[in-house]
PDB file of all heavy atoms in Angstrom:
ATOM      1  N   GLU A 135      -1.881  -3.242  -4.215  1.00 97.00           N
ATOM      2  CA  GLU A 135      -1.390  -3.101  -5.586  1.00 97.00           C
ATOM      3  C   GLU A 135      -0.706  -1.750  -5.795  1.00 97.00           C
ATOM      4  O   GLU A 135       0.332  -1.668  -6.472  1.00 97.00           O
ATOM      5  CB  GLU A 135      -2.541  -3.277  -6.572  1.00 97.00           C
ATOM      6  CG  GLU A 135      -3.057  -4.712  -6.662  1.00 97.00           C
ATOM      7  CD  GLU A 135      -4.371  -4.821  -7.415  1.00 97.00           C
ATOM      8  OE1 GLU A 135      -5.084  -3.791  -7.534  1.00 97.00           O
ATOM      9  OE2 GLU A 135      -4.685  -5.933  -7.855  1.00 97.00           O
ATOM     10  N   ASN A 136      -1.278  -0.698  -5.218  1.00 97.00           N
ATOM     11  CA  ASN A 136      -0.644   0.616  -5.316  1.00 97.00           C
ATOM     12  C   ASN A 136       0.729   0.605  -4.670  1.00 97.00           C
ATOM     13  O   ASN A 136       1.710   1.085  -5.253  1.00 97.00           O
ATOM     14  CB  ASN A 136      -1.525   1.666  -4.646  1.00 97.00           C
ATOM     15  CG  ASN A 136      -2.493   2.345  -5.597  1.00 97.00           C
ATOM     16  OD1 ASN A 136      -2.085   3.105  -6.464  1.00 97.00           O
ATOM     17  ND2 ASN A 136      -3.772   2.048  -5.443  1.00 97.00           N
ATOM     18  N   LEU A 137       0.814   0.064  -3.465  1.00 97.00           N
ATOM     19  CA  LEU A 137       2.087   0.072  -2.752  1.00 97.00           C
ATOM     20  C   LEU A 137       3.133  -0.783  -3.465  1.00 97.00           C
ATOM     21  O   LEU A 137       4.305  -0.394  -3.553  1.00 97.00           O
ATOM     22  CB  LEU A 137       1.882  -0.407  -1.312  1.00 97.00           C
ATOM     23  CG  LEU A 137       1.224   0.613  -0.383  1.00 97.00           C
ATOM     24  CD1 LEU A 137       0.761  -0.044   0.908  1.00 97.00           C
ATOM     25  CD2 LEU A 137       2.194   1.755  -0.071  1.00 97.00           C
ATOM     26  N   GLU A 138       2.731  -1.930  -3.983  1.00 97.00           N
ATOM     27  CA  GLU A 138       3.689  -2.765  -4.709  1.00 97.00           C
ATOM     28  C   GLU A 138       4.162  -2.070  -5.984  1.00 97.00           C
ATOM     29  O   GLU A 138       5.349  -2.115  -6.327  1.00 97.00           O
ATOM     30  CB  GLU A 138       3.060  -4.117  -5.033  1.00 97.00           C
ATOM     31  CG  GLU A 138       2.873  -5.007  -3.806  1.00 97.00           C
ATOM     32  CD  GLU A 138       2.374  -6.396  -4.166  1.00 97.00           C
ATOM     33  OE1 GLU A 138       2.287  -6.710  -5.375  1.00 97.00           O
ATOM     34  OE2 GLU A 138       2.052  -7.168  -3.241  1.00 97.00           O
ATOM     35  N   LEU A 139       3.231  -1.414  -6.691  1.00 96.00           N
ATOM     36  CA  LEU A 139       3.600  -0.709  -7.918  1.00 96.00           C
ATOM     37  C   LEU A 139       4.598   0.406  -7.631  1.00 96.00           C
ATOM     38  O   LEU A 139       5.660   0.493  -8.266  1.00 96.00           O
ATOM     39  CB  LEU A 139       2.344  -0.134  -8.577  1.00 96.00           C
ATOM     40  CG  LEU A 139       2.580   0.827  -9.757  1.00 96.00           C
ATOM     41  CD1 LEU A 139       3.304   0.118 -10.898  1.00 96.00           C
ATOM     42  CD2 LEU A 139       1.264   1.424 -10.234  1.00 96.00           C
ATOM     43  N   PHE A 140       4.268   1.257  -6.664  1.00 96.00           N
ATOM     44  CA  PHE A 140       5.154   2.383  -6.371  1.00 96.00           C
ATOM     45  C   PHE A 140       6.464   1.916  -5.741  1.00 96.00           C
ATOM     46  O   PHE A 140       7.504   2.553  -5.917  1.00 96.00           O
ATOM     47  CB  PHE A 140       4.439   3.402  -5.483  1.00 96.00           C
ATOM     48  CG  PHE A 140       3.427   4.232  -6.219  1.00 96.00           C
ATOM     49  CD1 PHE A 140       2.067   3.993  -6.071  1.00 96.00           C
ATOM     50  CD2 PHE A 140       3.819   5.238  -7.077  1.00 96.00           C
ATOM     51  CE1 PHE A 140       1.129   4.748  -6.758  1.00 96.00           C
ATOM     52  CE2 PHE A 140       2.895   6.007  -7.774  1.00 96.00           C
ATOM     53  CZ  PHE A 140       1.540   5.754  -7.612  1.00 96.00           C
ATOM     54  N   ALA A 141       6.438   0.801  -5.015  1.00 96.00           N
ATOM     55  CA  ALA A 141       7.678   0.247  -4.462  1.00 96.00           C
ATOM     56  C   ALA A 141       8.613  -0.186  -5.581  1.00 96.00           C
ATOM     57  O   ALA A 141       9.828   0.045  -5.521  1.00 96.00           O
ATOM     58  CB  ALA A 141       7.366  -0.930  -3.541  1.00 96.00           C
ATOM     59  N   ARG A 142       8.048  -0.810  -6.622  1.00 95.00           N
ATOM     60  CA  ARG A 142       8.881  -1.201  -7.760  1.00 95.00           C
ATOM     61  C   ARG A 142       9.445   0.024  -8.468  1.00 95.00           C
ATOM     62  O   ARG A 142      10.611   0.038  -8.889  1.00 95.00           O
ATOM     63  CB  ARG A 142       8.070  -2.066  -8.727  1.00 95.00           C
ATOM     64  CG  ARG A 142       7.825  -3.479  -8.230  1.00 95.00           C
ATOM     65  CD  ARG A 142       7.289  -4.370  -9.327  1.00 95.00           C
ATOM     66  NE  ARG A 142       5.929  -4.003  -9.713  1.00 95.00           N
ATOM     67  CZ  ARG A 142       4.835  -4.499  -9.157  1.00 95.00           C
ATOM     68  NH1 ARG A 142       4.936  -5.386  -8.170  1.00 95.00           N
ATOM     69  NH2 ARG A 142       3.640  -4.123  -9.569  1.00 95.00           N
ATOM     70  N   LEU A 143       8.625   1.073  -8.591  1.00 92.00           N
ATOM     71  CA  LEU A 143       9.106   2.304  -9.230  1.00 92.00           C
ATOM     72  C   LEU A 143      10.227   2.960  -8.428  1.00 92.00           C
ATOM     73  O   LEU A 143      11.093   3.633  -8.992  1.00 92.00           O
ATOM     74  CB  LEU A 143       7.945   3.284  -9.411  1.00 92.00           C
ATOM     75  CG  LEU A 143       6.864   2.873 -10.411  1.00 92.00           C
ATOM     76  CD1 LEU A 143       5.703   3.864 -10.386  1.00 92.00           C
ATOM     77  CD2 LEU A 143       7.430   2.771 -11.832  1.00 92.00           C
ATOM     78  N   GLU A 144      10.204   2.763  -7.103  1.00 91.00           N
ATOM     79  CA  GLU A 144      11.259   3.298  -6.245  1.00 91.00           C
ATOM     80  C   GLU A 144      12.498   2.413  -6.228  1.00 91.00           C
ATOM     81  O   GLU A 144      13.502   2.747  -5.601  1.00 91.00           O
ATOM     82  CB  GLU A 144      10.731   3.462  -4.804  1.00 91.00           C
ATOM     83  CG  GLU A 144       9.791   4.640  -4.616  1.00 91.00           C
ATOM     84  CD  GLU A 144      10.502   5.973  -4.699  1.00 91.00           C
ATOM     85  OE1 GLU A 144      11.741   6.009  -4.523  1.00 91.00           O
ATOM     86  OE2 GLU A 144       9.834   6.985  -4.958  1.00 91.00           O
ATOM     87  N   GLY A 145      12.424   1.259  -6.916  1.00 90.00           N
ATOM     88  CA  GLY A 145      13.576   0.375  -6.986  1.00 90.00           C
ATOM     89  C   GLY A 145      13.723  -0.561  -5.805  1.00 90.00           C
ATOM     90  O   GLY A 145      14.805  -1.122  -5.578  1.00 90.00           O
ATOM     91  N   GLU A 146      12.648  -0.751  -5.019  1.00 91.00           N
ATOM     92  CA  GLU A 146      12.703  -1.681  -3.891  1.00 91.00           C
ATOM     93  C   GLU A 146      12.901  -3.104  -4.413  1.00 91.00           C
ATOM     94  O   GLU A 146      12.231  -3.539  -5.348  1.00 91.00           O
ATOM     95  CB  GLU A 146      11.412  -1.600  -3.068  1.00 91.00           C
ATOM     96  CG  GLU A 146      11.152  -0.253  -2.420  1.00 91.00           C
ATOM     97  CD  GLU A 146      12.003  -0.035  -1.181  1.00 91.00           C
ATOM     98  OE1 GLU A 146      12.815  -0.926  -0.841  1.00 91.00           O
ATOM     99  OE2 GLU A 146      11.863   1.030  -0.546  1.00 91.00           O
ATOM    100  N   ARG A 147      13.801  -3.844  -3.789  1.00 91.00           N
ATOM    101  CA  ARG A 147      14.102  -5.199  -4.251  1.00 91.00           C
ATOM    102  C   ARG A 147      12.946  -6.164  -4.000  1.00 91.00           C
ATOM    103  O   ARG A 147      12.694  -7.058  -4.809  1.00 91.00           O
ATOM    104  CB  ARG A 147      15.370  -5.713  -3.566  1.00 91.00           C
ATOM    105  CG  ARG A 147      16.631  -4.979  -3.999  1.00 91.00           C
ATOM    106  CD  ARG A 147      17.858  -5.607  -3.392  1.00 91.00           C
ATOM    107  NE  ARG A 147      19.080  -4.946  -3.846  1.00 91.00           N
ATOM    108  CZ  ARG A 147      20.298  -5.320  -3.479  1.00 91.00           C
ATOM    109  NH1 ARG A 147      20.457  -6.346  -2.655  1.00 91.00           N
ATOM    110  NH2 ARG A 147      21.349  -4.664  -3.947  1.00 91.00           N
ATOM    111  N   ASP A 148      12.297  -6.027  -2.859  1.00 95.00           N
ATOM    112  CA  ASP A 148      11.181  -6.915  -2.529  1.00 95.00           C
ATOM    113  C   ASP A 148       9.944  -6.053  -2.324  1.00 95.00           C
ATOM    114  O   ASP A 148       9.588  -5.696  -1.205  1.00 95.00           O
ATOM    115  CB  ASP A 148      11.498  -7.725  -1.270  1.00 95.00           C
ATOM    116  CG  ASP A 148      10.502  -8.864  -1.041  1.00 95.00           C
ATOM    117  OD1 ASP A 148       9.391  -8.797  -1.615  1.00 95.00           O
ATOM    118  OD2 ASP A 148      10.835  -9.799  -0.293  1.00 95.00           O
ATOM    119  N   ALA A 149       9.307  -5.684  -3.422  1.00 96.00           N
ATOM    120  CA  ALA A 149       8.169  -4.765  -3.367  1.00 96.00           C
ATOM    121  C   ALA A 149       7.031  -5.330  -2.526  1.00 96.00           C
ATOM    122  O   ALA A 149       6.356  -4.585  -1.810  1.00 96.00           O
ATOM    123  CB  ALA A 149       7.681  -4.458  -4.784  1.00 96.00           C
ATOM    124  N   ARG A 150       6.819  -6.621  -2.615  1.00 95.00           N
ATOM    125  CA  ARG A 150       5.720  -7.236  -1.856  1.00 95.00           C
ATOM    126  C   ARG A 150       5.949  -7.116  -0.356  1.00 95.00           C
ATOM    127  O   ARG A 150       5.029  -6.757   0.385  1.00 95.00           O
ATOM    128  CB  ARG A 150       5.572  -8.700  -2.245  1.00 95.00           C
ATOM    129  CG  ARG A 150       4.450  -9.424  -1.512  1.00 95.00           C
ATOM    130  CD  ARG A 150       4.240 -10.823  -2.043  1.00 95.00           C
ATOM    131  NE  ARG A 150       3.839 -10.793  -3.443  1.00 95.00           N
ATOM    132  CZ  ARG A 150       3.599 -11.891  -4.163  1.00 95.00           C
ATOM    133  NH1 ARG A 150       3.740 -13.096  -3.612  1.00 95.00           N
ATOM    134  NH2 ARG A 150       3.218 -11.789  -5.415  1.00 95.00           N
ATOM    135  N   ALA A 151       7.156  -7.392   0.099  1.00 96.00           N
ATOM    136  CA  ALA A 151       7.447  -7.308   1.529  1.00 96.00           C
ATOM    137  C   ALA A 151       7.341  -5.869   2.030  1.00 96.00           C
ATOM    138  O   ALA A 151       6.816  -5.618   3.126  1.00 96.00           O
ATOM    139  CB  ALA A 151       8.844  -7.860   1.808  1.00 96.00           C
ATOM    140  N   VAL A 152       7.822  -4.926   1.243  1.00 95.00           N
ATOM    141  CA  VAL A 152       7.738  -3.514   1.630  1.00 95.00           C
ATOM    142  C   VAL A 152       6.275  -3.081   1.731  1.00 95.00           C
ATOM    143  O   VAL A 152       5.875  -2.388   2.674  1.00 95.00           O
ATOM    144  CB  VAL A 152       8.490  -2.634   0.618  1.00 95.00           C
ATOM    145  CG1 VAL A 152       8.208  -1.160   0.870  1.00 95.00           C
ATOM    146  CG2 VAL A 152       9.979  -2.896   0.694  1.00 95.00           C
ATOM    147  N   ALA A 153       5.459  -3.505   0.763  1.00 96.00           N
ATOM    148  CA  ALA A 153       4.040  -3.160   0.785  1.00 96.00           C
ATOM    149  C   ALA A 153       3.355  -3.735   2.014  1.00 96.00           C
ATOM    150  O   ALA A 153       2.558  -3.051   2.675  1.00 96.00           O
ATOM    151  CB  ALA A 153       3.364  -3.662  -0.494  1.00 96.00           C
ATOM    152  N   GLU A 154       3.657  -4.980   2.345  1.00 95.00           N
ATOM    153  CA  GLU A 154       3.030  -5.619   3.498  1.00 95.00           C
ATOM    154  C   GLU A 154       3.404  -4.903   4.797  1.00 95.00           C
ATOM    155  O   GLU A 154       2.575  -4.725   5.693  1.00 95.00           O
ATOM    156  CB  GLU A 154       3.435  -7.093   3.574  1.00 95.00           C
ATOM    157  CG  GLU A 154       2.845  -7.961   2.481  1.00 95.00           C
ATOM    158  CD  GLU A 154       1.317  -7.966   2.491  1.00 95.00           C
ATOM    159  OE1 GLU A 154       0.720  -7.884   3.578  1.00 95.00           O
ATOM    160  OE2 GLU A 154       0.733  -8.035   1.401  1.00 95.00           O
ATOM    161  N   LYS A 155       4.659  -4.480   4.890  1.00 94.00           N
ATOM    162  CA  LYS A 155       5.101  -3.762   6.089  1.00 94.00           C
ATOM    163  C   LYS A 155       4.334  -2.454   6.265  1.00 94.00           C
ATOM    164  O   LYS A 155       3.857  -2.134   7.369  1.00 94.00           O
ATOM    165  CB  LYS A 155       6.598  -3.488   6.005  1.00 94.00           C
ATOM    166  CG  LYS A 155       7.142  -2.714   7.202  1.00 94.00           C
ATOM    167  CD  LYS A 155       8.629  -2.435   7.050  1.00 94.00           C
ATOM    168  CE  LYS A 155       9.155  -1.615   8.220  1.00 94.00           C
ATOM    169  NZ  LYS A 155      10.614  -1.312   8.067  1.00 94.00           N
ATOM    170  N   LEU A 156       4.170  -1.707   5.172  1.00 94.00           N
ATOM    171  CA  LEU A 156       3.465  -0.423   5.258  1.00 94.00           C
ATOM    172  C   LEU A 156       1.977  -0.617   5.502  1.00 94.00           C
ATOM    173  O   LEU A 156       1.351   0.158   6.242  1.00 94.00           O
ATOM    174  CB  LEU A 156       3.706   0.387   3.985  1.00 94.00           C
ATOM    175  CG  LEU A 156       5.108   0.978   3.851  1.00 94.00           C
ATOM    176  CD1 LEU A 156       5.344   1.508   2.448  1.00 94.00           C
ATOM    177  CD2 LEU A 156       5.324   2.090   4.880  1.00 94.00           C
ATOM    178  N   LEU A 157       1.389  -1.645   4.917  1.00 93.00           N
ATOM    179  CA  LEU A 157      -0.023  -1.938   5.170  1.00 93.00           C
ATOM    180  C   LEU A 157      -0.251  -2.216   6.651  1.00 93.00           C
ATOM    181  O   LEU A 157      -1.244  -1.768   7.238  1.00 93.00           O
ATOM    182  CB  LEU A 157      -0.483  -3.131   4.331  1.00 93.00           C
ATOM    183  CG  LEU A 157      -0.670  -2.879   2.837  1.00 93.00           C
ATOM    184  CD1 LEU A 157      -0.837  -4.206   2.103  1.00 93.00           C
ATOM    185  CD2 LEU A 157      -1.875  -1.972   2.586  1.00 93.00           C
ATOM    186  N   ALA A 158       0.679  -2.943   7.264  1.00 91.00           N
ATOM    187  CA  ALA A 158       0.557  -3.243   8.681  1.00 91.00           C
ATOM    188  C   ALA A 158       0.773  -1.994   9.533  1.00 91.00           C
ATOM    189  O   ALA A 158       0.053  -1.769  10.519  1.00 91.00           O
ATOM    190  CB  ALA A 158       1.568  -4.321   9.068  1.00 91.00           C
ATOM    191  N   GLN A 159       1.751  -1.176   9.158  1.00 89.00           N
ATOM    192  CA  GLN A 159       2.033   0.041   9.913  1.00 89.00           C
ATOM    193  C   GLN A 159       0.840   0.983   9.927  1.00 89.00           C
ATOM    194  O   GLN A 159       0.502   1.574  10.952  1.00 89.00           O
ATOM    195  CB  GLN A 159       3.238   0.768   9.317  1.00 89.00           C
ATOM    196  CG  GLN A 159       4.584   0.266   9.770  1.00 89.00           C
ATOM    197  CD  GLN A 159       5.697   1.142   9.257  1.00 89.00           C
ATOM    198  OE1 GLN A 159       5.801   1.410   8.060  1.00 89.00           O
ATOM    199  NE2 GLN A 159       6.558   1.591  10.138  1.00 89.00           N
ATOM    200  N   PHE A 160       0.209   1.140   8.767  1.00 89.00           N
ATOM    201  CA  PHE A 160      -0.859   2.129   8.631  1.00 89.00           C
ATOM    202  C   PHE A 160      -2.249   1.527   8.776  1.00 89.00           C
ATOM    203  O   PHE A 160      -3.242   2.261   8.773  1.00 89.00           O
ATOM    204  CB  PHE A 160      -0.738   2.841   7.281  1.00 89.00           C
ATOM    205  CG  PHE A 160       0.361   3.864   7.244  1.00 89.00           C
ATOM    206  CD1 PHE A 160       1.647   3.507   6.853  1.00 89.00           C
ATOM    207  CD2 PHE A 160       0.129   5.176   7.620  1.00 89.00           C
ATOM    208  CE1 PHE A 160       2.664   4.438   6.819  1.00 89.00           C
ATOM    209  CE2 PHE A 160       1.141   6.115   7.594  1.00 89.00           C
ATOM    210  CZ  PHE A 160       2.416   5.747   7.192  1.00 89.00           C
ATOM    211  N   ASP A 161      -2.342   0.208   8.877  1.00 88.00           N
ATOM    212  CA  ASP A 161      -3.623  -0.468   9.084  1.00 88.00           C
ATOM    213  C   ASP A 161      -4.647  -0.065   8.025  1.00 88.00           C
ATOM    214  O   ASP A 161      -5.791   0.287   8.317  1.00 88.00           O
ATOM    215  CB  ASP A 161      -4.160  -0.169  10.487  1.00 88.00           C
ATOM    216  CG  ASP A 161      -5.308  -1.094  10.875  1.00 88.00           C
ATOM    217  OD1 ASP A 161      -5.374  -2.205  10.337  1.00 88.00           O
ATOM    218  OD2 ASP A 161      -6.134  -0.684  11.715  1.00 88.00           O
ATOM    219  N   VAL A 162      -4.215  -0.115   6.762  1.00 91.00           N
ATOM    220  CA  VAL A 162      -5.083   0.228   5.636  1.00 91.00           C
ATOM    221  C   VAL A 162      -5.664  -1.065   5.055  1.00 91.00           C
ATOM    222  O   VAL A 162      -4.928  -2.031   4.858  1.00 91.00           O
ATOM    223  CB  VAL A 162      -4.290   0.972   4.537  1.00 91.00           C
ATOM    224  CG1 VAL A 162      -5.180   1.267   3.332  1.00 91.00           C
ATOM    225  CG2 VAL A 162      -3.703   2.259   5.088  1.00 91.00           C
ATOM    226  N   PRO A 163      -6.987  -1.117   4.781  1.00 94.00           N
ATOM    227  CA  PRO A 163      -7.560  -2.301   4.109  1.00 94.00           C
ATOM    228  C   PRO A 163      -6.804  -2.599   2.824  1.00 94.00           C
ATOM    229  O   PRO A 163      -6.701  -1.750   1.936  1.00 94.00           O
ATOM    230  CB  PRO A 163      -9.005  -1.891   3.850  1.00 94.00           C
ATOM    231  CG  PRO A 163      -9.301  -0.888   4.919  1.00 94.00           C
ATOM    232  CD  PRO A 163      -8.015  -0.122   5.112  1.00 94.00           C
ATOM    233  N   ALA A 164      -6.289  -3.815   2.698  1.00 94.00           N
ATOM    234  CA  ALA A 164      -5.321  -4.117   1.651  1.00 94.00           C
ATOM    235  C   ALA A 164      -5.920  -4.410   0.295  1.00 94.00           C
ATOM    236  O   ALA A 164      -5.324  -4.083  -0.734  1.00 94.00           O
ATOM    237  CB  ALA A 164      -4.445  -5.291   2.086  1.00 94.00           C
ATOM    238  N   ASP A 165      -7.088  -5.033   0.246  1.00 94.00           N
ATOM    239  CA  ASP A 165      -7.559  -5.632  -1.003  1.00 94.00           C
ATOM    240  C   ASP A 165      -8.859  -5.043  -1.540  1.00 94.00           C
ATOM    241  O   ASP A 165      -9.561  -5.689  -2.316  1.00 94.00           O
ATOM    242  CB  ASP A 165      -7.697  -7.144  -0.810  1.00 94.00           C
ATOM    243  CG  ASP A 165      -6.356  -7.787  -0.500  1.00 94.00           C
ATOM    244  OD1 ASP A 165      -5.394  -7.500  -1.239  1.00 94.00           O
ATOM    245  OD2 ASP A 165      -6.259  -8.536   0.485  1.00 94.00           O
ATOM    246  N   ARG A 166      -9.157  -3.819  -1.134  1.00 93.00           N
ATOM    247  CA  ARG A 166     -10.298  -3.105  -1.699  1.00 93.00           C
ATOM    248  C   ARG A 166      -9.794  -2.025  -2.637  1.00 93.00           C
ATOM    249  O   ARG A 166      -8.738  -1.429  -2.386  1.00 93.00           O
ATOM    250  CB  ARG A 166     -11.143  -2.478  -0.588  1.00 93.00           C
ATOM    251  CG  ARG A 166     -11.883  -3.482   0.283  1.00 93.00           C
ATOM    252  CD  ARG A 166     -12.418  -2.817   1.537  1.00 93.00           C
ATOM    253  NE  ARG A 166     -13.077  -1.555   1.256  1.00 93.00           N
ATOM    254  CZ  ARG A 166     -13.457  -0.693   2.202  1.00 93.00           C
ATOM    255  NH1 ARG A 166     -13.201  -0.947   3.476  1.00 93.00           N
ATOM    256  NH2 ARG A 166     -14.067   0.421   1.877  1.00 93.00           N
ATOM    257  N   PRO A 167     -10.516  -1.746  -3.734  1.00 95.00           N
ATOM    258  CA  PRO A 167     -10.091  -0.641  -4.602  1.00 95.00           C
ATOM    259  C   PRO A 167      -9.916   0.647  -3.794  1.00 95.00           C
ATOM    260  O   PRO A 167     -10.726   0.956  -2.902  1.00 95.00           O
ATOM    261  CB  PRO A 167     -11.241  -0.518  -5.601  1.00 95.00           C
ATOM    262  CG  PRO A 167     -11.845  -1.885  -5.640  1.00 95.00           C
ATOM    263  CD  PRO A 167     -11.727  -2.419  -4.235  1.00 95.00           C
ATOM    264  N   ALA A 168      -8.879   1.374  -4.086  1.00 95.00           N
ATOM    265  CA  ALA A 168      -8.595   2.586  -3.321  1.00 95.00           C
ATOM    266  C   ALA A 168      -9.761   3.573  -3.358  1.00 95.00           C
ATOM    267  O   ALA A 168      -9.977   4.324  -2.408  1.00 95.00           O
ATOM    268  CB  ALA A 168      -7.322   3.240  -3.839  1.00 95.00           C
ATOM    269  N   SER A 169     -10.521   3.548  -4.453  1.00 94.00           N
ATOM    270  CA  SER A 169     -11.650   4.476  -4.581  1.00 94.00           C
ATOM    271  C   SER A 169     -12.736   4.216  -3.551  1.00 94.00           C
ATOM    272  O   SER A 169     -13.562   5.092  -3.291  1.00 94.00           O
ATOM    273  CB  SER A 169     -12.247   4.384  -5.986  1.00 94.00           C
ATOM    274  OG  SER A 169     -12.733   3.082  -6.237  1.00 94.00           O
ATOM    275  N   THR A 170     -12.768   3.012  -2.963  1.00 95.00           N
ATOM    276  CA  THR A 170     -13.816   2.661  -1.993  1.00 95.00           C
ATOM    277  C   THR A 170     -13.375   2.882  -0.550  1.00 95.00           C
ATOM    278  O   THR A 170     -14.161   2.662   0.370  1.00 95.00           O
ATOM    279  CB  THR A 170     -14.246   1.198  -2.171  1.00 95.00           C
ATOM    280  OG1 THR A 170     -13.174   0.333  -1.762  1.00 95.00           O
ATOM    281  CG2 THR A 170     -14.636   0.901  -3.606  1.00 95.00           C
ATOM    282  N   LEU A 171     -12.145   3.301  -0.342  1.00 93.00           N
ATOM    283  CA  LEU A 171     -11.642   3.497   1.015  1.00 93.00           C
ATOM    284  C   LEU A 171     -12.236   4.755   1.637  1.00 93.00           C
ATOM    285  O   LEU A 171     -12.622   5.696   0.939  1.00 93.00           O
ATOM    286  CB  LEU A 171     -10.121   3.611   1.006  1.00 93.00           C
ATOM    287  CG  LEU A 171      -9.336   2.379   0.534  1.00 93.00           C
ATOM    288  CD1 LEU A 171      -7.839   2.707   0.495  1.00 93.00           C
ATOM    289  CD2 LEU A 171      -9.606   1.181   1.425  1.00 93.00           C
ATOM    290  N   SER A 172     -12.287   4.770   2.953  1.00 90.00           N
ATOM    291  CA  SER A 172     -12.730   5.969   3.666  1.00 90.00           C
ATOM    292  C   SER A 172     -11.716   7.091   3.458  1.00 90.00           C
ATOM    293  O   SER A 172     -10.566   6.855   3.044  1.00 90.00           O
ATOM    294  CB  SER A 172     -12.864   5.677   5.158  1.00 90.00           C
ATOM    295  OG  SER A 172     -11.585   5.450   5.735  1.00 90.00           O
ATOM    296  N   VAL A 173     -12.137   8.311   3.766  1.00 87.00           N
ATOM    297  CA  VAL A 173     -11.244   9.459   3.607  1.00 87.00           C
ATOM    298  C   VAL A 173      -9.976   9.275   4.439  1.00 87.00           C
ATOM    299  O   VAL A 173      -8.863   9.544   3.987  1.00 87.00           O
ATOM    300  CB  VAL A 173     -11.967  10.761   3.996  1.00 87.00           C
ATOM    301  CG1 VAL A 173     -10.995  11.944   3.975  1.00 87.00           C
ATOM    302  CG2 VAL A 173     -13.128  11.029   3.051  1.00 87.00           C
ATOM    303  N   GLY A 174     -10.136   8.795   5.666  1.00 86.00           N
ATOM    304  CA  GLY A 174      -8.983   8.588   6.529  1.00 86.00           C
ATOM    305  C   GLY A 174      -8.027   7.545   5.982  1.00 86.00           C
ATOM    306  O   GLY A 174      -6.812   7.729   6.006  1.00 86.00           O
ATOM    307  N   ASN A 175      -8.583   6.421   5.482  1.00 89.00           N
ATOM    308  CA  ASN A 175      -7.734   5.374   4.929  1.00 89.00           C
ATOM    309  C   ASN A 175      -7.034   5.834   3.653  1.00 89.00           C
ATOM    310  O   ASN A 175      -5.888   5.460   3.384  1.00 89.00           O
ATOM    311  CB  ASN A 175      -8.552   4.121   4.644  1.00 89.00           C
ATOM    312  CG  ASN A 175      -8.812   3.315   5.897  1.00 89.00           C
ATOM    313  OD1 ASN A 175      -7.981   3.267   6.796  1.00 89.00           O
ATOM    314  ND2 ASN A 175      -9.971   2.680   5.972  1.00 89.00           N
ATOM    315  N   ARG A 176      -7.708   6.657   2.869  1.00 90.00           N
ATOM    316  CA  ARG A 176      -7.065   7.194   1.668  1.00 90.00           C
ATOM    317  C   ARG A 176      -5.865   8.061   2.044  1.00 90.00           C
ATOM    318  O   ARG A 176      -4.818   8.000   1.398  1.00 90.00           O
ATOM    319  CB  ARG A 176      -8.063   8.028   0.860  1.00 90.00           C
ATOM    320  CG  ARG A 176      -9.172   7.240   0.212  1.00 90.00           C
ATOM    321  CD  ARG A 176     -10.031   8.157  -0.639  1.00 90.00           C
ATOM    322  NE  ARG A 176     -11.197   7.470  -1.168  1.00 90.00           N
ATOM    323  CZ  ARG A 176     -11.994   7.970  -2.082  1.00 90.00           C
ATOM    324  NH1 ARG A 176     -11.764   9.187  -2.571  1.00 90.00           N
ATOM    325  NH2 ARG A 176     -13.037   7.295  -2.513  1.00 90.00           N
ATOM    326  N   GLN A 177      -6.043   8.853   3.076  1.00 88.00           N
ATOM    327  CA  GLN A 177      -4.938   9.722   3.483  1.00 88.00           C
ATOM    328  C   GLN A 177      -3.768   8.904   4.016  1.00 88.00           C
ATOM    329  O   GLN A 177      -2.598   9.205   3.742  1.00 88.00           O
ATOM    330  CB  GLN A 177      -5.405  10.726   4.541  1.00 88.00           C
ATOM    331  CG  GLN A 177      -4.345  11.711   5.003  1.00 88.00           C
ATOM    332  CD  GLN A 177      -3.886  12.660   3.916  1.00 88.00           C
ATOM    333  OE1 GLN A 177      -3.965  12.368   2.728  1.00 88.00           O
ATOM    334  NE2 GLN A 177      -3.390  13.820   4.322  1.00 88.00           N
ATOM    335  N   ARG A 178      -4.060   7.859   4.768  1.00 89.00           N
ATOM    336  CA  ARG A 178      -2.983   7.017   5.277  1.00 89.00           C
ATOM    337  C   ARG A 178      -2.259   6.294   4.139  1.00 89.00           C
ATOM    338  O   ARG A 178      -1.040   6.110   4.184  1.00 89.00           O
ATOM    339  CB  ARG A 178      -3.530   6.032   6.307  1.00 89.00           C
ATOM    340  CG  ARG A 178      -3.838   6.702   7.650  1.00 89.00           C
ATOM    341  CD  ARG A 178      -4.239   5.708   8.695  1.00 89.00           C
ATOM    342  NE  ARG A 178      -5.585   5.197   8.435  1.00 89.00           N
ATOM    343  CZ  ARG A 178      -6.123   4.171   9.081  1.00 89.00           C
ATOM    344  NH1 ARG A 178      -5.414   3.509   9.983  1.00 89.00           N
ATOM    345  NH2 ARG A 178      -7.363   3.789   8.836  1.00 89.00           N
TER     346      ARG A 178
END
C-alpha cells in the first residue's frame, strides 16, 4: 500500500505494477503493516 501510494504521487502510470516490481527486488513482506516489519525490512 505504501509503494502504490507513493508511486501514484510520483505520477507512475501503473502504480500496482511498479510496486510489485520493487517488492520483488527488495524481498519485503508485502501485506503486513509496515509497523510490524523487522528493522531490516523497514530500511529496504
Side-chain angles (χ1 to χ4, degrees):
E135 289 168 340
N136 268 291
L137 285 166
E138 289 186 6
L139 171 62
F140 285 105
R142 286 192 291 270
L143 293 174
E144 286 289 340
E146 297 283 1
R147 292 185 178 181
D148 192 340
R150 180 173 298 179
V152 170
E154 290 300 326
K155 179 182 178 181
L156 287 168
L157 287 168
Q159 277 187 307
F160 284 90
D161 193 25
V162 177
D165 297 311
R166 291 167 46 190
S169 61
T170 69
L171 297 176
S172 68
V173 174
N175 281 326
R176 291 184 186 190
Q177 182 65 335
R178 285 186 287 170

